[in-house]
Amino acid sequence: MEMSHSGDELARILATLANPHRMRVIAALAHGRNYVSALARELGISRPLLQLHLAKLEAAGLVTAAFELSADGKAMKYYDTVPFTVTLTPQSIALAARTLTTVEGDS
C-alpha cells in the first residue's frame, strides 16, 4: 500500500528532484549502491558538487549513506537509494496541500 506524503514532505521531495544532477544521481544509484569517486566519474561531475547533491538527497530521505572499509583499509562512503514512490494527481496534491506548514514565495 502506498502512503500519501504530507505537504511539506512532498514539496521537499519535488524541490530536491527538480535539479537535473540529483535526478541523474538517483538514476545512477537505481542500478546499485556506489561510492562518491566512482559515482562522480560515472556522472562526469566533480566530487564536491556530487557531495552537495548527495547531502540534499540524503536530507530529503531519498538516499542513505554507510561507511565501509576497502581492501586496503580505507573508509569509503557508499550511497544507495531509499525505496520511494511519489504519485502525483490533482487529488493527491490537494490532499498534501492541506497539510502544508510552510509558506514560501513563488520561485
Side-chain angles (χ1 to χ4, degrees):
M1 175 164 57
E2 182 183 332
M3 273 181 39
S4 61
H5 298 281
S6 73
D8 294 338
E9 182 181 28
L10 181 60
R12 184 178 66 249
I13 290 168
L14 293 176
T16 301
L17 292 174
N19 182 286
H21 286 303
R22 292 194 280 271
M23 286 183 67
R24 287 183 187 104
V25 170
I26 292 290
L29 291 174
H31 301 293
R33 68 190 186 96
N34 211 340
Y35 60 97
V36 173
S37 294
L39 198 52
R41 280 191 302 275
E42 179 181 338
L43 296 172
I45 62 176
S46 70
R47 285 184 310 207
L49 179 59
L50 176 59
Q51 287 172 328
L52 171 78
H53 291 302
L54 286 167
K56 289 182 186 260
L57 287 164
E58 193 170 13
L62 301 175
V63 301
T64 58
F67 281 101
E68 293 184 19
L69 288 179
S70 66
D72 62 356
K74 188 164 78 170
M76 299 179 69
K77 194 171 188 180
Y78 279 84
Y79 286 87
D80 202 357
T81 56
V82 173
F84 66 92
T85 301
V86 177
T87 302
L88 294 177
T89 65
Q91 295 78 17
S92 68
I93 292 170
L95 183 63
R98 286 187 229 141
T99 65
L100 285 168
T101 60
T102 58
V103 177
E104 296 181 20
D106 291 337
S107 304

